[in-house]
Amino acid sequence: MCDSVDEVTQAVLAKNDSLAAGLREELARRGVSVVNLLSSPGSGKTELLGRVLARAVGRGLPVAALTADLATENDAHRLARSGAPVKQLLTDGLCHLEARQLRGHVESWLPEGTSLLFVENVGNLVCPASYDLGESLRIVLMAVTEGEDKPLKYPTAFGSAHLVVLTKVDLAGPAGFDQAAFAANVQRVNPGVELLFSCARTDDGVDTLLERVLAVRDGVPVHRPPLAPRPHTHSHEGTEAGLVS
């Protein structure tokens, strides 16, 4: 019997971690790598993901995407323009995805032969950061309009990232964004993590991001963040600059 809110939370997370571990093993057997995308609302992750999906489809890569939101299927419609198989996952008010939800969609929907599944998590840097989905790669995105101190305000999200992506870099000047201060703050909560820069409107960073994702799919070890929900269990040979700590 749980005696406190904290104990209930820990029990829920423990159950989720167990499900995520099983899902990760199942996906590995099927040759599927999952990329979990976390950000605040308005970071531009849907637009950037759409560009990445379109580039992957153009190269004939077997990719698919799940996009989660509290309501509406707007993001799924936007991502479907890429030509990739896309599924909307409505959370009915839940502020994050859990491993059980992802498992259900993997079992009922994931197209045969898919080797790379992008999961666009609910726009929120708090709750999603605590839930392992069985992903191979966790990417945290942030727009320059959000401020340099965001990594310090949300250390669990940024501290659990295998890769951090700064978006809308074309607006850095008008927003008065201090890129050096932001990079330093990222390193304070997640030493050694790679930081990519992107602008979906100009396609800057799209190819680099896709290459990083494909490297992980192909067995390159990921950076080991200090606040990962659980240890990364895959063991592969080989290295890739920027992905290994």
Side-chain angles (χ1 to χ4, degrees):
M1 186 77 176
C2 296
D3 297 323
S4 69
V5 172
D6 184 63
E7 287 180 317
V8 171
T9 300
Q10 292 305 315
V12 170
L13 290 175
K15 181 177 181 181
N16 180 82
D17 286 350
S18 178
L19 290 172
L23 180 58
R24 181 179 284 108
E25 293 176 0
E26 176 186 334
L27 290 169
R29 288 194 296 269
R30 294 173 56 176
V32 181
S33 293
V34 174
V35 180
N36 185 9
L37 303 173
L38 282 70
S39 80
S40 298
S43 70
K45 72 175 178 296
T46 303
E47 184 65 25
L48 181 60
L49 175 56
R51 300 295 180 105
V52 171
L53 290 172
R55 197 64 52 89
V57 169
R59 291 173 55 177
L61 300 172
V63 298
L66 278 170
T67 180
D69 217 333
L70 303 180
T72 83
E73 297 189 358
N74 294 346
D75 288 349
H77 293 317
R78 291 173 62 191
L79 293 177
R81 297 171 192 158
S82 67
V86 177
K87 177 76 171 179
Q88 183 74 52
L89 197 164
L90 297 179
T91 65
D92 295 323
L94 192 65
C95 63
H96 61 273
L97 285 181
E98 297 181 6
R100 61 179 176 80
Q101 295 167 303
L102 183 59
R103 174 181 285 280
H105 282 75
V106 165
E107 293 174 346
S108 65
W109 170 79
L110 189 64
E112 188 68 27
T114 299
S115 67
L116 190 57
L117 174 62
F118 289 89
V119 178
E120 184 181 21
N121 218 312
V122 180
N124 180 353
L125 281 178
V126 182
C127 301
S130 298
Y131 286 83
D132 184 3
L133 299 182
E135 66 259 31
S136 303
L137 184 67
R138 174 176 291 203
I139 301 176
V140 173
L141 304 93
M142 193 201 92
V144 297
T145 51
E146 297 179 66
E148 304 88 351
D149 61 346
K150 198 121 190 185
L152 306 182
K153 290 182 176 181
Y154 300 93
T156 300
F158 284 89
S160 65
H162 299 116
L163 180 66
V164 174
V165 177
L166 183 66
T167 65
K168 304 184 182 182
V169 294
D170 56 321
L171 300 178
F177 185 78
D178 188 334
Q179 186 171 298
F182 170 72
N185 289 336
V186 169
Q187 293 302 315
R188 281 182 63 183
V189 299
N190 194 342
V193 69
E194 184 181 13
L195 176 59
L196 297 184
F197 304 92
S198 71
C199 174
R201 292 198 305 176
T202 60
D203 276 346
D204 287 351
V206 171
D207 288 318
T208 302
L209 180 55
L210 180 57
E211 289 306 320
R212 293 294 187 271
V213 170
L214 291 175
V216 173
R217 182 202 64 173
D218 294 340
V220 172
V222 296
H223 164 75
R224 297 175 180 85
L227 298 180
R230 67 182 303 279
H232 187 68
T233 56
H234 295 307
S235 177
H236 304 285
E237 296 297 324
T239 61
E240 176 83 6
L243 290 176
V244 182
S245 58

